Amino acid sequence: MNNLNELRVFIQVAQTENFAGAARVLGMTTSAVSKAVQRLETEIGAKLFSRTTRSVSLTVEGTRFLDGARRLLSDADALKEEFADSISQPRGKLVISAPAVFGRVWLTERVLAFMCRYEEVDVELKFEDRQVDLGTEGIDIAIRIGALGDSANLMARKLFDDRAYSCVSPAYIERHGKPETLDDLEHHRGIHYRVQNTGLLFPFLFEEKGEIVRRTLNPVLIGNSVDALRQAAEKGIGIAQLPSFLAHEAFEAGRLVEVLEDKRLNNFPYSIIYLNRQLVSPRVRAFVDFLVADPPSFVQAVS
């Protein structure tokens, strides 16, 4: 590419789907943005956008080009930072993705503490309960829960091991009894989480004789928010399986109690993932090290 700035303009237009909107973000005129895209299209010999009077959308070639453009700019930015005068002071924008409730309960506070230490780092937080694609969505770092699938383009560091708590309200036990074995779960009401990426119900996870056991209860309530599942369990709707960051306060307040403690899964991993590149930007390295150095304490709080 003759001009990396033209790549930046192209990416911004792709994100906003609007030349005028991209111009406002970039501090340019609409005409300058349009001409930059035209120069890029001429250089690569392909039409990147379909244009109408009302909308701008990526062509098939533009969609393919977008991923590579993002990687190229990310590598260029990382290379520039690698040879900056002082990598002890990371700078630039950091885009972070995490599950919504985990982000609210724990991660936000850590991000703010990181920004107080590294004042030249800007942050965009994306809290949503789905598995994001770092490469295509322009995300630097994501928190991923559970076992990691094989992916050659990702690096991962474990943040901490959580526990899967099977939770019910005291009122539920009064009405329906307390399950004493895994087979007893067939007769109980389940509050299940639906995985957004796959549409499947996430099973309850247990450990028995050193093996992970998966069970799906009769789902009387299904949701895609773990906080909603907690609220339902507290109301006595059924049994929910919750992570430590949601269970600990409810346990302390007596709103929930744990069942099947002897079958609890105690090594449910939370990991930090980021793109596998030859040059990892100082801001990514610094943030990952910052989180790993001070993992959450709520796991110990409910031990």
Side-chain angles (χ1 to χ4, degrees), residues 239-264:
I239 302 174
Q241 201 162 71
L242 301 174
S244 298
F245 64 86
L246 279 180
H248 76 288
E249 289 186 2
F251 285 165
E252 290 177 355
R255 298 190 299 270
L256 291 175
V257 296
E258 185 182 9
V259 296
L260 298 170
E261 298 95 327
D262 60 324
K263 301 295 190 294
R264 183 202 305 144

PDB file of all heavy atoms in Angstrom, residues 239-264:
ATOM      1  N   ILE A 239     -33.274 -24.456  39.472  1.00  0.00           N
ATOM      2  CA  ILE A 239     -31.848 -24.579  39.778  1.00  0.00           C
ATOM      3  C   ILE A 239     -31.054 -23.916  38.654  1.00  0.00           C
ATOM      4  O   ILE A 239     -31.315 -24.153  37.473  1.00  0.00           O
ATOM      5  CB  ILE A 239     -31.428 -26.052  39.898  1.00  0.00           C
ATOM      6  CG1 ILE A 239     -32.248 -26.758  40.987  1.00  0.00           C
ATOM      7  CG2 ILE A 239     -29.933 -26.168  40.194  1.00  0.00           C
ATOM      8  CD1 ILE A 239     -31.981 -28.249  41.066  1.00  0.00           C
ATOM      9  N   ALA A 240     -30.091 -23.085  39.023  1.00  0.00           N
ATOM     10  CA  ALA A 240     -29.207 -22.449  38.043  1.00  0.00           C
ATOM     11  C   ALA A 240     -27.767 -22.772  38.402  1.00  0.00           C
ATOM     12  O   ALA A 240     -27.437 -22.963  39.578  1.00  0.00           O
ATOM     13  CB  ALA A 240     -29.408 -20.937  38.031  1.00  0.00           C
ATOM     14  N   GLN A 241     -26.924 -22.833  37.400  1.00  0.00           N
ATOM     15  CA  GLN A 241     -25.499 -22.992  37.658  1.00  0.00           C
ATOM     16  C   GLN A 241     -24.823 -21.660  37.363  1.00  0.00           C
ATOM     17  O   GLN A 241     -24.924 -21.132  36.252  1.00  0.00           O
ATOM     18  CB  GLN A 241     -24.904 -24.111  36.811  1.00  0.00           C
ATOM     19  CG  GLN A 241     -23.606 -24.650  37.399  1.00  0.00           C
ATOM     20  CD  GLN A 241     -23.243 -26.013  36.842  1.00  0.00           C
ATOM     21  OE1 GLN A 241     -22.867 -26.109  35.686  1.00  0.00           O
ATOM     22  NE2 GLN A 241     -23.333 -27.053  37.658  1.00  0.00           N
ATOM     23  N   LEU A 242     -24.149 -21.117  38.386  1.00  0.00           N
ATOM     24  CA  LEU A 242     -23.642 -19.749  38.314  1.00  0.00           C
ATOM     25  C   LEU A 242     -22.152 -19.689  38.611  1.00  0.00           C
ATOM     26  O   LEU A 242     -21.624 -20.491  39.386  1.00  0.00           O
ATOM     27  CB  LEU A 242     -24.383 -18.863  39.329  1.00  0.00           C
ATOM     28  CG  LEU A 242     -25.895 -18.762  39.168  1.00  0.00           C
ATOM     29  CD1 LEU A 242     -26.485 -17.964  40.332  1.00  0.00           C
ATOM     30  CD2 LEU A 242     -26.268 -18.115  37.847  1.00  0.00           C
ATOM     31  N   PRO A 243     -21.464 -18.692  38.038  1.00  0.00           N
ATOM     32  CA  PRO A 243     -20.054 -18.468  38.360  1.00  0.00           C
ATOM     33  C   PRO A 243     -19.903 -17.738  39.684  1.00  0.00           C
ATOM     34  O   PRO A 243     -20.864 -17.186  40.233  1.00  0.00           O
ATOM     35  CB  PRO A 243     -19.583 -17.593  37.192  1.00  0.00           C
ATOM     36  CG  PRO A 243     -20.809 -16.836  36.784  1.00  0.00           C
ATOM     37  CD  PRO A 243     -21.960 -17.768  37.007  1.00  0.00           C
ATOM     38  N   SER A 244     -18.685 -17.690  40.174  1.00  0.00           N
ATOM     39  CA  SER A 244     -18.418 -17.082  41.481  1.00  0.00           C
ATOM     40  C   SER A 244     -18.827 -15.625  41.550  1.00  0.00           C
ATOM     41  O   SER A 244     -19.348 -15.162  42.570  1.00  0.00           O
ATOM     42  CB  SER A 244     -16.931 -17.201  41.819  1.00  0.00           C
ATOM     43  OG  SER A 244     -16.535 -18.535  41.913  1.00  0.00           O
ATOM     44  N   PHE A 245     -18.576 -14.863  40.459  1.00  0.00           N
ATOM     45  CA  PHE A 245     -18.818 -13.426  40.534  1.00  0.00           C
ATOM     46  C   PHE A 245     -20.299 -13.100  40.679  1.00  0.00           C
ATOM     47  O   PHE A 245     -20.649 -11.988  41.064  1.00  0.00           O
ATOM     48  CB  PHE A 245     -18.202 -12.690  39.340  1.00  0.00           C
ATOM     49  CG  PHE A 245     -18.770 -13.031  37.996  1.00  0.00           C
ATOM     50  CD1 PHE A 245     -19.889 -12.383  37.511  1.00  0.00           C
ATOM     51  CD2 PHE A 245     -18.164 -13.981  37.197  1.00  0.00           C
ATOM     52  CE1 PHE A 245     -20.408 -12.683  36.259  1.00  0.00           C
ATOM     53  CE2 PHE A 245     -18.662 -14.284  35.935  1.00  0.00           C
ATOM     54  CZ  PHE A 245     -19.794 -13.630  35.474  1.00  0.00           C
ATOM     55  N   LEU A 246     -21.180 -14.055  40.379  1.00  0.00           N
ATOM     56  CA  LEU A 246     -22.604 -13.850  40.612  1.00  0.00           C
ATOM     57  C   LEU A 246     -23.084 -14.542  41.878  1.00  0.00           C
ATOM     58  O   LEU A 246     -24.011 -14.084  42.534  1.00  0.00           O
ATOM     59  CB  LEU A 246     -23.418 -14.367  39.419  1.00  0.00           C
ATOM     60  CG  LEU A 246     -23.516 -13.455  38.206  1.00  0.00           C
ATOM     61  CD1 LEU A 246     -24.359 -14.111  37.130  1.00  0.00           C
ATOM     62  CD2 LEU A 246     -24.106 -12.109  38.578  1.00  0.00           C
ATOM     63  N   ALA A 247     -22.454 -15.660  42.215  1.00  0.00           N
ATOM     64  CA  ALA A 247     -22.951 -16.458  43.340  1.00  0.00           C
ATOM     65  C   ALA A 247     -22.551 -15.904  44.700  1.00  0.00           C
ATOM     66  O   ALA A 247     -23.301 -16.045  45.667  1.00  0.00           O
ATOM     67  CB  ALA A 247     -22.452 -17.897  43.205  1.00  0.00           C
ATOM     68  N   HIS A 248     -21.384 -15.249  44.801  1.00  0.00           N
ATOM     69  CA  HIS A 248     -20.847 -14.990  46.140  1.00  0.00           C
ATOM     70  C   HIS A 248     -21.723 -14.062  46.961  1.00  0.00           C
ATOM     71  O   HIS A 248     -21.949 -14.308  48.152  1.00  0.00           O
ATOM     72  CB  HIS A 248     -19.402 -14.482  46.060  1.00  0.00           C
ATOM     73  CG  HIS A 248     -19.241 -13.061  45.629  1.00  0.00           C
ATOM     74  ND1 HIS A 248     -19.454 -12.629  44.348  1.00  0.00           N
ATOM     75  CD2 HIS A 248     -18.865 -11.956  46.338  1.00  0.00           C
ATOM     76  CE1 HIS A 248     -19.213 -11.331  44.268  1.00  0.00           C
ATOM     77  NE2 HIS A 248     -18.863 -10.898  45.453  1.00  0.00           N
ATOM     78  N   GLU A 249     -22.256 -12.998  46.374  1.00  0.00           N
ATOM     79  CA  GLU A 249     -23.096 -12.086  47.148  1.00  0.00           C
ATOM     80  C   GLU A 249     -24.418 -12.740  47.528  1.00  0.00           C
ATOM     81  O   GLU A 249     -24.928 -12.537  48.643  1.00  0.00           O
ATOM     82  CB  GLU A 249     -23.352 -10.802  46.361  1.00  0.00           C
ATOM     83  CG  GLU A 249     -22.131  -9.904  46.230  1.00  0.00           C
ATOM     84  CD  GLU A 249     -22.471  -8.578  45.561  1.00  0.00           C
ATOM     85  OE1 GLU A 249     -23.656  -8.361  45.241  1.00  0.00           O
ATOM     86  OE2 GLU A 249     -21.542  -7.773  45.367  1.00  0.00           O
ATOM     87  N   ALA A 250     -24.989 -13.539  46.623  1.00  0.00           N
ATOM     88  CA  ALA A 250     -26.256 -14.220  46.913  1.00  0.00           C
ATOM     89  C   ALA A 250     -26.078 -15.256  48.017  1.00  0.00           C
ATOM     90  O   ALA A 250     -26.969 -15.444  48.862  1.00  0.00           O
ATOM     91  CB  ALA A 250     -26.795 -14.883  45.654  1.00  0.00           C
ATOM     92  N   PHE A 251     -24.928 -15.934  48.039  1.00  0.00           N
ATOM     93  CA  PHE A 251     -24.651 -16.874  49.123  1.00  0.00           C
ATOM     94  C   PHE A 251     -24.536 -16.137  50.462  1.00  0.00           C
ATOM     95  O   PHE A 251     -25.114 -16.544  51.473  1.00  0.00           O
ATOM     96  CB  PHE A 251     -23.352 -17.633  48.853  1.00  0.00           C
ATOM     97  CG  PHE A 251     -23.465 -18.697  47.794  1.00  0.00           C
ATOM     98  CD1 PHE A 251     -22.323 -19.236  47.221  1.00  0.00           C
ATOM     99  CD2 PHE A 251     -24.690 -19.179  47.375  1.00  0.00           C
ATOM    100  CE1 PHE A 251     -22.402 -20.219  46.247  1.00  0.00           C
ATOM    101  CE2 PHE A 251     -24.793 -20.168  46.400  1.00  0.00           C
ATOM    102  CZ  PHE A 251     -23.642 -20.688  45.843  1.00  0.00           C
ATOM    103  N   GLU A 252     -23.767 -15.050  50.456  1.00  0.00           N
ATOM    104  CA  GLU A 252     -23.562 -14.301  51.699  1.00  0.00           C
ATOM    105  C   GLU A 252     -24.865 -13.746  52.253  1.00  0.00           C
ATOM    106  O   GLU A 252     -25.071 -13.701  53.472  1.00  0.00           O
ATOM    107  CB  GLU A 252     -22.569 -13.160  51.457  1.00  0.00           C
ATOM    108  CG  GLU A 252     -21.137 -13.618  51.207  1.00  0.00           C
ATOM    109  CD  GLU A 252     -20.214 -12.456  50.906  1.00  0.00           C
ATOM    110  OE1 GLU A 252     -20.726 -11.308  50.792  1.00  0.00           O
ATOM    111  OE2 GLU A 252     -18.989 -12.669  50.786  1.00  0.00           O
ATOM    112  N   ALA A 253     -25.773 -13.332  51.354  1.00  0.00           N
ATOM    113  CA  ALA A 253     -27.048 -12.757  51.794  1.00  0.00           C
ATOM    114  C   ALA A 253     -28.093 -13.822  52.107  1.00  0.00           C
ATOM    115  O   ALA A 253     -29.188 -13.481  52.587  1.00  0.00           O
ATOM    116  CB  ALA A 253     -27.579 -11.815  50.716  1.00  0.00           C
ATOM    117  N   GLY A 254     -27.801 -15.083  51.821  1.00  0.00           N
ATOM    118  CA  GLY A 254     -28.757 -16.145  52.090  1.00  0.00           C
ATOM    119  C   GLY A 254     -29.847 -16.271  51.045  1.00  0.00           C
ATOM    120  O   GLY A 254     -30.806 -17.026  51.244  1.00  0.00           O
ATOM    121  N   ARG A 255     -29.716 -15.562  49.917  1.00  0.00           N
ATOM    122  CA  ARG A 255     -30.733 -15.653  48.870  1.00  0.00           C
ATOM    123  C   ARG A 255     -30.600 -16.945  48.075  1.00  0.00           C
ATOM    124  O   ARG A 255     -31.569 -17.430  47.490  1.00  0.00           O
ATOM    125  CB  ARG A 255     -30.644 -14.451  47.928  1.00  0.00           C
ATOM    126  CG  ARG A 255     -30.887 -13.100  48.597  1.00  0.00           C
ATOM    127  CD  ARG A 255     -31.021 -11.996  47.560  1.00  0.00           C
ATOM    128  NE  ARG A 255     -29.825 -11.844  46.756  1.00  0.00           N
ATOM    129  CZ  ARG A 255     -28.803 -11.046  47.052  1.00  0.00           C
ATOM    130  NH1 ARG A 255     -28.833 -10.325  48.178  1.00  0.00           N
ATOM    131  NH2 ARG A 255     -27.743 -10.951  46.256  1.00  0.00           N
ATOM    132  N   LEU A 256     -29.397 -17.513  48.041  1.00  0.00           N
ATOM    133  CA  LEU A 256     -29.143 -18.774  47.357  1.00  0.00           C
ATOM    134  C   LEU A 256     -28.305 -19.679  48.240  1.00  0.00           C
ATOM    135  O   LEU A 256     -27.532 -19.205  49.084  1.00  0.00           O
ATOM    136  CB  LEU A 256     -28.402 -18.544  46.032  1.00  0.00           C
ATOM    137  CG  LEU A 256     -29.149 -17.856  44.896  1.00  0.00           C
ATOM    138  CD1 LEU A 256     -28.211 -17.611  43.719  1.00  0.00           C
ATOM    139  CD2 LEU A 256     -30.360 -18.658  44.449  1.00  0.00           C
ATOM    140  N   VAL A 257     -28.461 -20.970  48.030  1.00  0.00           N
ATOM    141  CA  VAL A 257     -27.601 -21.962  48.678  1.00  0.00           C
ATOM    142  C   VAL A 257     -27.099 -22.905  47.599  1.00  0.00           C
ATOM    143  O   VAL A 257     -27.700 -23.024  46.524  1.00  0.00           O
ATOM    144  CB  VAL A 257     -28.349 -22.754  49.765  1.00  0.00           C
ATOM    145  CG1 VAL A 257     -28.783 -21.836  50.901  1.00  0.00           C
ATOM    146  CG2 VAL A 257     -29.543 -23.489  49.180  1.00  0.00           C
ATOM    147  N   GLU A 258     -25.984 -23.571  47.888  1.00  0.00           N
ATOM    148  CA  GLU A 258     -25.413 -24.496  46.907  1.00  0.00           C
ATOM    149  C   GLU A 258     -25.936 -25.900  47.154  1.00  0.00           C
ATOM    150  O   GLU A 258     -26.100 -26.336  48.297  1.00  0.00           O
ATOM    151  CB  GLU A 258     -23.885 -24.490  46.987  1.00  0.00           C
ATOM    152  CG  GLU A 258     -23.228 -25.347  45.908  1.00  0.00           C
ATOM    153  CD  GLU A 258     -21.715 -25.400  46.005  1.00  0.00           C
ATOM    154  OE1 GLU A 258     -21.163 -24.908  47.013  1.00  0.00           O
ATOM    155  OE2 GLU A 258     -21.101 -25.949  45.077  1.00  0.00           O
ATOM    156  N   VAL A 259     -26.200 -26.619  46.056  1.00  0.00           N
ATOM    157  CA  VAL A 259     -26.550 -28.034  46.131  1.00  0.00           C
ATOM    158  C   VAL A 259     -25.524 -28.831  45.341  1.00  0.00           C
ATOM    159  O   VAL A 259     -24.798 -28.284  44.506  1.00  0.00           O
ATOM    160  CB  VAL A 259     -27.974 -28.305  45.589  1.00  0.00           C
ATOM    161  CG1 VAL A 259     -29.010 -27.606  46.456  1.00  0.00           C
ATOM    162  CG2 VAL A 259     -28.104 -27.851  44.133  1.00  0.00           C
ATOM    163  N   LEU A 260     -25.435 -30.125  45.637  1.00  0.00           N
ATOM    164  CA  LEU A 260     -24.493 -31.024  44.962  1.00  0.00           C
ATOM    165  C   LEU A 260     -23.052 -30.515  45.074  1.00  0.00           C
ATOM    166  O   LEU A 260     -22.283 -30.558  44.110  1.00  0.00           O
ATOM    167  CB  LEU A 260     -24.897 -31.208  43.493  1.00  0.00           C
ATOM    168  CG  LEU A 260     -26.277 -31.858  43.264  1.00  0.00           C
ATOM    169  CD1 LEU A 260     -26.675 -31.756  41.797  1.00  0.00           C
ATOM    170  CD2 LEU A 260     -26.267 -33.312  43.716  1.00  0.00           C
ATOM    171  N   GLU A 261     -22.717 -30.043  46.284  1.00  0.00           N
ATOM    172  CA  GLU A 261     -21.373 -29.499  46.499  1.00  0.00           C
ATOM    173  C   GLU A 261     -20.284 -30.512  46.168  1.00  0.00           C
ATOM    174  O   GLU A 261     -19.206 -30.141  45.679  1.00  0.00           O
ATOM    175  CB  GLU A 261     -21.208 -29.048  47.952  1.00  0.00           C
ATOM    176  CG  GLU A 261     -22.165 -27.938  48.382  1.00  0.00           C
ATOM    177  CD  GLU A 261     -23.412 -28.478  49.052  1.00  0.00           C
ATOM    178  OE1 GLU A 261     -23.859 -29.585  48.654  1.00  0.00           O
ATOM    179  OE2 GLU A 261     -23.916 -27.810  49.969  1.00  0.00           O
ATOM    180  N   ASP A 262     -20.545 -31.800  46.444  1.00  0.00           N
ATOM    181  CA  ASP A 262     -19.520 -32.824  46.228  1.00  0.00           C
ATOM    182  C   ASP A 262     -19.287 -33.107  44.746  1.00  0.00           C
ATOM    183  O   ASP A 262     -18.316 -33.762  44.377  1.00  0.00           O
ATOM    184  CB  ASP A 262     -19.905 -34.114  46.951  1.00  0.00           C
ATOM    185  CG  ASP A 262     -21.232 -34.683  46.468  1.00  0.00           C
ATOM    186  OD1 ASP A 262     -22.135 -33.886  46.166  1.00  0.00           O
ATOM    187  OD2 ASP A 262     -21.357 -35.921  46.391  1.00  0.00           O
ATOM    188  N   LYS A 263     -20.174 -32.586  43.889  1.00  0.00           N
ATOM    189  CA  LYS A 263     -20.019 -32.785  42.436  1.00  0.00           C
ATOM    190  C   LYS A 263     -19.621 -31.490  41.730  1.00  0.00           C
ATOM    191  O   LYS A 263     -19.630 -31.406  40.505  1.00  0.00           O
ATOM    192  CB  LYS A 263     -21.336 -33.295  41.833  1.00  0.00           C
ATOM    193  CG  LYS A 263     -21.839 -34.612  42.417  1.00  0.00           C
ATOM    194  CD  LYS A 263     -20.885 -35.752  42.087  1.00  0.00           C
ATOM    195  CE  LYS A 263     -21.491 -37.106  42.455  1.00  0.00           C
ATOM    196  NZ  LYS A 263     -21.666 -37.262  43.920  1.00  0.00           N
ATOM    197  N   ARG A 264     -19.261 -30.464  42.498  1.00  0.00           N
ATOM    198  CA  ARG A 264     -18.930 -29.165  41.914  1.00  0.00           C
ATOM    199  C   ARG A 264     -17.698 -29.252  41.023  1.00  0.00           C
ATOM    200  O   ARG A 264     -16.694 -29.886  41.376  1.00  0.00           O
ATOM    201  CB  ARG A 264     -18.671 -28.151  43.020  1.00  0.00           C
ATOM    202  CG  ARG A 264     -18.389 -26.738  42.495  1.00  0.00           C
ATOM    203  CD  ARG A 264     -17.637 -25.910  43.511  1.00  0.00           C
ATOM    204  NE  ARG A 264     -18.309 -25.860  44.785  1.00  0.00           N
ATOM    205  CZ  ARG A 264     -17.674 -25.853  45.960  1.00  0.00           C
ATOM    206  NH1 ARG A 264     -16.354 -25.894  45.990  1.00  0.00           N
ATOM    207  NH2 ARG A 264     -18.347 -25.799  47.086  1.00  0.00           N
TER     208      ARG A 264
END
